[in-house]
Amino acid sequence: MNEPLVLGIETSCDETAVGIVRGRTLLANVIASSVDEHARFGGVVPEIASRAHLEAMQPSIKKAVKDARIKLSDIDAVAVTAGPGLVGALLVGVGSAAGLAIGLDKPIYAVNHLAAHISVDYLTHSEVIEPTIALLVSGGHSSLLKVDDITSSITKLGQTIDDAAGEAFDKIARVMNLGFPGGPAIDADAKNGNARAIDFPRGLTTSNDWLTRPYDFSFSGLKTAVARYLESTPEFIRADVAASFQEAIVDVLLLKALAACKESGINSLVIAGGVAANSRLRAQAQERCEKAGIRLRIPPAGLCTDNGAMVASLGALMAAAGRAPSPVAFDADSSLPVATISLT
Ligand code: KG4
Ligand code: ZN
């Protein structure tokens, strides 16, 4: 199948998202978020997310089909996030996708959310470079990966040993009363601040760390340092704290990503996941990769946070590569490892 028409469903967290692609062309990308319902709790409440997915699923599928100007029966395959994520939320997507696949008598691809984040880039950059190093930074995960083939071979080089990068943004935003999710708020605030105002720690970057765990991340020390600074400096300038905190995260992410490129001899880097929407990360990545002769790809900011297009994209890449679809009866896996690209 050269240009498979694939509908992808994503429900791993608080977005009910349905995307439709034809091969590597994006046709529809519908996102219904329940984020406002979680905001007053300062984080996603799984039960609320699951109920919101149930309500939003059918209208989202209908809208995506309409936006794509196709008939549901035209679809060649269904793709769905099987994990990682909140299990109750995942199950709504998995049940809906399985029902759709059975009803249409079409194959289903139960795919990995993290691999899908990376694969969305294949919709927006015509050139596919593999192998590539991938920096995956989201609300739940931060890892450095080697991607030999997005449909069959992803190797983990390192990951966070405590908080994910997005989680650090969300937690610091909470202590600064910036609301939830914190990433976009800190990003906006930091634009008015001085990134060099406060020298916050860069986790796991001592010479010993570079020897023993060069590609792992740690953000909990940074989080504590920011909290202490806020407590001990009542007259703090919020924008300076936001900019300096953001700088510490961006710096360490890029130091390690570029080191992975250099060490592996792979001069290609993809940055994906919600935190890849961060404007400072995008600008710094551009600058540092250019200097180092590394080809950089980052999806447009709107496709970095959770969406259905990324799931459809991975499903279409799998179908086009002739990969075996998943059995219709499969379990959602809340901790699906990134190396398991799809369930077979
Ligand atoms: O990939 P994603 O949408 O969901 C997960 O799979 O986790 O990532 C959400 C995370 C949140 O922690 C959010 O604060 C962060 O991405 N994020 C950002 C920005 N936009 C979203 N972090 C920093 N800067 C941003 N502009
Ligand atoms: Zn995500």
Side-chain angles (χ1 to χ4, degrees):
M1 218 183 293
N2 209 4
E3 296 252 281
L5 183 65
V6 178
L7 180 146
I9 296 179
E10 154 64 37
T11 62
S12 68
C13 195
D14 56 340
E15 274 90 15
T16 313
V18 180
I20 298 177
V21 305
R22 191 185 298 280
R24 289 175 51 202
T25 307
L26 177 59
L27 302 183
N29 190 26
V30 174
I31 304 175
S33 175
S34 60
V35 67
D36 293 344
E37 296 175 53
H38 307 284
R40 70 192 168 99
F41 300 104
V44 175
V45 182
E47 183 68 19
I48 295 178
S50 304
R51 284 170 191 274
H53 287 315
L54 276 173
E55 279 169 21
M57 183 58 68
Q58 204 188 13
S60 299
I61 293 175
K62 280 194 171 155
K63 179 159 188 341
V65 167
K66 190 164 172 239
D67 288 357
R69 295 165 188 266
I70 60 156
K71 291 200 301 286
L72 199 52
S73 54
D74 293 342
I75 282 162
D76 295 311
V78 178
V80 63
T81 298
L86 304 168
V87 74
L90 287 166
L91 280 169
V92 179
V94 164
S96 308
L100 204 53
I102 293 168
L104 295 171
D105 195 21
K106 296 294 175 187
I108 186 165
Y109 289 91
V111 301
N112 187 303
H113 179 84
L114 307 173
H117 265 302
I118 300 167
S119 81
V120 81
D121 186 70
Y122 293 59
L123 294 176
T124 55
H125 291 98
S126 53
E127 205 181 6
V128 171
I129 307 168
E130 287 176 343
T132 185
I133 298 297
L135 170 66
L136 179 78
V137 273
S138 71
H141 295 84
S142 297
S143 3
L144 263 172
L145 310 164
K146 178 166 163 279
V147 180
D148 286 295
D149 179 334
I150 190 69
T151 67
S152 65
S153 174
I154 300 181
T155 314
K156 193 189 283 176
L157 305 177
Q159 64 184 346
T160 181
I161 59 165
D162 40 59
D163 293 346
E167 199 179 349
F169 271 99
D170 295 337
K171 286 179 176 170
I172 290 304
R174 195 182 312 167
V175 293
M176 289 169 73
N177 290 321
L178 284 170
F180 174 83
I186 291 190
D187 193 345
D189 234 30
K191 292 205 166 90
N192 308 314
N194 175 5
R196 294 201 188 138
I198 311 142
D199 188 18
F200 287 129
R202 272 67 170 159
L204 299 188
T205 56
T206 66
S207 45
N208 189 44
D209 293 326
W210 280 110
L211 285 175
T212 55
R213 40 189 177 181
Y215 307 132
D216 283 342
F217 302 104
S218 167
F219 299 111
S220 72
L222 169 62
K223 193 180 63 190
T224 310
V226 177
R228 274 212 200 110
Y229 179 86
L230 293 173
E231 265 170 31
S232 62
T233 322
E235 72 289 5
F236 70 83
I237 301 169
R238 200 175 78 180
D240 283 355
V241 180
S244 301
F245 159 75
Q246 176 175 271
E247 198 69 5
I249 293 209
V250 166
D251 190 27
V252 96
L253 289 175
L254 292 176
L255 275 175
K256 298 210 167 204
L258 267 69
C261 290
K262 195 169 169 209
E263 280 302 305
S264 62
I266 296 174
N267 66 351
S268 163
L269 175 66
V270 177
I271 307 184
V275 180
N278 183 266
S279 63
R280 183 69 180 161
L281 178 61
R282 298 174 81 90
Q284 277 288 297
Q286 196 78 46
E287 201 178 308
R288 294 193 198 186
C289 285
E290 228 166 81
K291 261 192 206 140
I294 292 166
R295 296 167 80 167
L296 173 70
R297 287 172 293 153
I298 315 181
L303 290 177
C304 287
T305 44
D306 290 349
N307 63 79
M310 67 189 209
V311 179
S313 172
L314 185 51
L317 289 165
M318 308 268 316
R323 304 277 167 226
S326 307
V328 171
F330 58 87
D331 270 340
D333 183 345
S334 61
S335 54
L336 192 66
V338 65
T340 307
I341 301 167
S342 76
L343 301 183
T344 49

